[in-house]
Amino acid sequence: METMTEDNKAVVRRFNQEVIAEGNLESFKELMDEQFVNHSAPEGMDNGQAGMIYFFNEILRPAMPDIHVTIHQQVSQGDLVTTRKTISGTQTGALLGIPATGRVVNIDVIDIVRVKDGKYFEHWGITSLPEVLSQLQN
């Protein structure tokens, strides 16, 4: 059981580094189950693979090309991995309608990922993005 939880944590760490921080599409394809569901997708947004990669590569990356992910803590039980992390970068492009500010943005995230056969199968998460957007407008 310990090996499975460590392997699942490694999958999530790899996703955070290679997909979120680096924008690697090949890693994204390798790490996503065909039946993936993002239970935290905003209303009106695709809650499958397409919505997930769109958010990272079409919303976050153009706004913050120097994205960095810092994992503060991971807890794994069975096939679930909970991660507390910060996604940070300098806002040099528009972010969800907010023009570039040149400010460093820190988005705090807590997410839970169900890993199935070494791939992301389900995701739930909460972020500080709404608060960050509010601060950028001031």
Side-chain angles (χ1 to χ4, degrees), residues 19-20 22-25 28 45 49-65 67 93-97:
V19 176
I20 299 175
E22 298 171 10
N24 186 321
L25 290 175
F28 179 79
M45 189 171 188
Q49 292 182 26
M52 183 72 92
I53 197 65
Y54 178 84
F55 179 75
F56 295 127
N57 282 1
E58 303 300 325
I59 294 176
L60 278 189
R61 188 162 315 291
M64 306 181 322
I67 287 177
L95 178 59
L96 295 169

Side-chain angles (χ1 to χ4, degrees), residues 5-15 31 74 81:
T5 59
E6 290 305 312
D7 289 349
N8 289 347
K9 285 165 65 173
V11 167
V12 174
R13 285 192 305 271
R14 182 176 171 211
F15 184 92
L31 294 170
Q74 278 188 308
V81 178

Side-chain angles (χ1 to χ4, degrees), residues 25-71:
L25 290 175
E26 288 304 312
S27 294
F28 179 79
K29 291 174 189 172
E30 287 175 32
L31 294 170
M32 297 299 287
D33 188 275
E34 289 181 12
Q35 303 300 314
F36 170 78
V37 175
N38 180 5
H39 298 282
S40 302
E43 189 173 329
M45 189 171 188
D46 182 299
N47 70 343
Q49 292 182 26
M52 183 72 92
I53 197 65
Y54 178 84
F55 179 75
F56 295 127
N57 282 1
E58 303 300 325
I59 294 176
L60 278 189
R61 188 162 315 291
M64 306 181 322
D66 62 342
I67 287 177
H68 179 76
V69 180
T70 303
I71 293 178

Side-chain angles (χ1 to χ4, degrees), residues 64-134:
M64 306 181 322
D66 62 342
I67 287 177
H68 179 76
V69 180
T70 303
I71 293 178
H72 305 291
Q73 187 175 25
Q74 278 188 308
V75 178
S76 182
Q77 181 176 357
D79 60 357
L80 297 174
V81 178
T82 301
T83 304
R84 185 175 61 85
K85 64 189 175 190
T86 302
I87 299 172
S88 56
T90 308
Q91 190 208 1
T92 59
L95 178 59
L96 295 169
I98 298 172
T101 63
R103 293 164 55 185
V104 172
V105 173
N106 292 301
I107 304 167
D108 294 318
V109 180
I110 296 175
D111 62 14
I112 301 171
V113 175
R114 182 179 308 280
V115 178
K116 179 181 174 188
D117 299 325
K119 297 183 177 200
Y120 270 46
F121 189 70
E122 291 181 279
H123 171 266
W124 299 263
I126 56 174
T127 77
S128 66
L129 184 57
E131 293 85 356
V132 168
L133 295 173
S134 176

